Amino acid sequence: MPPTIKRLGILTGGGDCPGLNAVIRAVAKTAILQYGIEIVGIEDGFQGLIEHRVRPLHLRDVESIVTRGGTILGSNNKANPSRYCTGRTETGEPIWEDVTDACLTTIRRERLDAVIVIGGDGTMACAAPIAAAGVNVIGVPKTIDNDLVGTEITFGFLTAVATATDALDRLHSTAESHRRVMVCEVMGRNAGWIALTAGVASGSDVILIPEIPFDLKKIADDIEKRMRGPRYAVVVVAEGAKPLGGSQVIGRYDPTSPDPIRFGGIGNLVATKLGELTGIETRTTVLGHTQRGGTPTAPDRILATNFGFHAMALIASGKRNRMVVRENNIFSDIDLFETVGKQRLVPIDHPLIAAARAIGTSFGDGAGSITPKPIPSALV
Ligand code: F6P
């Protein structure tokens, strides 16, 4: 351990996800038990760093939290220090400020030698100016969307897939009983990893992801074919999926957020149009935040624990401004700044898409089987 590292801060940023507490526990226990480092929890993500709201973390604080959903520290997906909404307005428009200095003041006052930020692309982007100002920031990749660059997997994703798969399985049996088309909207803003993976796991008939714009008439044709056989169909649609030549459906707009747009509503739209085109009864289920809540699955607890341990190993080896990653099942790290402003989308020739097409799954584009590109990507 570099002698300079005596006190560490840790925060959870962005939308919560299962496994955050497992990372906090792994970091705190490794810091205290292996290196004798003091650890300080920053409350509510960057909001707590801006407002100097921190509390010491002792072993007793992280006892038994590996199974707990959410984050004991609280999180926030609106507080971006370099574009912070003051709450004041001018001619009706919100006033924004750069409050990075307030974060640096908290870090200096708390004598933090490094800060571990657990979050997605937005959190890494929020952390970059703080790292650029000279603070050692170590990132841990979190998001149910699984869309961070540099890592084949983020923790939280597999739990969300398990939740979505369970819901889709349940929709199958009721779809069959009533000979209906069941449309299920899952999360995934620009990346369709949850829809793709849960769709394949549940044997869904149609999978709609943002990376492959869909044609409703082609989906209707595929469903009509199914009506001649099993006579029911299950469609899984990512919230960010869009029709060919159309746009994503905005469900919510918050002008006081630096990330103001939330998608939502595509499930209803697809169900209504398919009902009109086929004359078959359709229903919509929106899984929403159920995918982010609750206890992490065993693989996510293990992934989160490994990420936390590796984050501490980076600090112990004196590395600066890195994000922990897993590639080809091996833990390593990349430059934190490299992650900013990028997203890892589903390659349209991903082997799982090829496998799904081969077994007759529709992606709403009318395409048949394709030859997969060899992409070493472990989804589980
Ligand atoms: O990025 C994670 C995520 O869960 C997305 O899948 C979803 O679009 C978004 O966050 C929802 O954010 P909020 O909790 O602000 O509604």
Side-chain angles (χ1 to χ4, degrees):
M1 174 62 58
T4 46
I5 306 283
K6 296 195 172 62
R7 235 166 113 80
L8 264 187
I10 184 167
L11 67 79
T12 51
D16 69 345
C17 93
L20 285 166
N21 286 325
V23 180
I24 296 168
R25 169 179 173 270
V27 165
K29 285 199 160 188
T30 310
I32 297 166
L33 297 175
Q34 301 307 319
Y35 303 115
I37 296 177
E38 281 181 329
I39 177 133
V40 171
I42 298 157
E43 295 174 353
D44 303 331
F46 288 96
Q47 191 69 39
L49 201 56
I50 295 163
E51 294 172 352
H52 196 166
R53 283 191 287 112
V54 304
R55 61 176 195 259
L57 285 181
H58 304 290
L59 287 177
R60 66 175 174 275
D61 299 311
V62 296
E63 210 48 66
S64 310
I65 63 169
V66 69
T67 56
R68 249 166 86 178
T71 159
I72 59 164
L73 295 176
S75 195
N76 183 311
N77 56 10
K78 284 177 78 168
N80 177 347
S82 50
R83 186 170 155 71
Y84 183 72
C85 186
T86 57
R88 302 190 304 274
T89 54
E90 199 174 80
T91 58
E93 292 298 313
I95 300 175
W96 304 87
E97 267 174 16
D98 184 339
V99 294
T100 304
D101 279 349
C103 297
L104 298 175
T105 303
T106 301
I107 291 166
R108 206 174 41 248
R109 284 200 186 138
E110 286 297 320
R111 295 171 285 106
L112 301 180
D113 302 309
V115 178
I116 292 182
V117 299
I118 313 171
D121 55 336
T123 301
M124 299 307 150
C126 287
I130 295 168
V135 177
N136 184 14
V137 178
I138 299 295
V140 177
K142 162 241 72 163
T143 165
I144 63 162
D145 290 356
N146 199 32
D147 61 355
L148 251 85
V149 290
T151 185
E152 67 194 356
I153 196 153
T154 55
F155 74 87
F157 167 66
L158 291 175
T159 305
V161 168
T163 303
T165 302
D166 178 60
L168 288 162
D169 290 348
R170 289 165 194 278
L171 290 174
H172 257 90
S173 62
T174 172
E176 188 172 13
S177 307
H178 290 267
R179 306 292 182 204
R180 281 176 174 158
V181 174
M182 291 295 192
V183 178
C184 181
E185 181 180 309
V186 299
M187 282 188 169
R189 284 203 241 195
N190 297 310
W193 293 107
I194 297 175
L196 170 64
T197 313
V200 171
S202 62
S204 293
D205 308 294
V206 181
I207 300 174
L208 305 177
I209 60 174
E211 294 85 347
I212 305 179
F214 58 83
D215 179 332
L216 279 160
K217 288 210 181 68
K218 292 201 165 114
I219 305 173
D221 287 348
D222 292 333
I223 284 177
E224 272 161 359
K225 275 183 215 137
R226 249 190 91 75
M227 287 299 150
R228 294 197 282 273
R231 295 176 52 216
Y232 72 93
V234 174
V235 179
V236 53
V237 52
E239 62 186 355
K242 56 176 180 292
L244 207 63
S247 40
Q248 292 164 307
V249 180
I250 295 175
R252 217 181 120 74
Y253 185 84
D254 179 355
T256 66
S257 171
D259 178 17
I261 293 173
R262 292 290 178 274
F263 298 133
I266 189 70
N268 251 328
L269 190 141
V270 167
T272 308
K273 296 277 182 210
L274 287 180
E276 286 167 11
L277 287 167
T278 62
I280 302 161
E281 250 195 292
T282 61
R283 293 288 188 274
T284 316
T285 304
V286 180
L287 294 189
H289 291 79
T290 59
Q291 296 158 98
R292 288 221 318 239
T295 186
T297 57
D300 261 339
R301 294 177 200 180
I302 292 162
L303 182 62
T305 301
N306 266 319
F307 274 150
F309 163 70
H310 281 275
M312 280 310 302
L314 285 180
I315 287 175
S317 64
K319 286 202 181 180
R320 296 181 65 82
N321 302 332
R322 312 290 295 173
M323 184 181 83
V324 191
V325 298
R326 199 189 83 184
E327 262 313 284
N328 300 325
N329 234 0
I330 292 172
F331 290 91
S332 63
D333 51 279
I334 60 169
D335 186 342
L336 181 93
F337 297 104
E338 262 178 40
T339 64
V340 176
K342 296 180 195 152
Q343 281 184 326
R344 191 177 73 96
L345 305 183
V346 179
I348 58 169
D349 50 1
H350 190 279
L352 193 56
I353 295 185
R357 287 194 196 272
I359 58 171
T361 310
S362 164
F363 284 84
D365 57 352
S369 293
I370 54 161
T371 310
K373 218 166 79 185
I375 301 166
S377 179
L379 279 176
V380 287

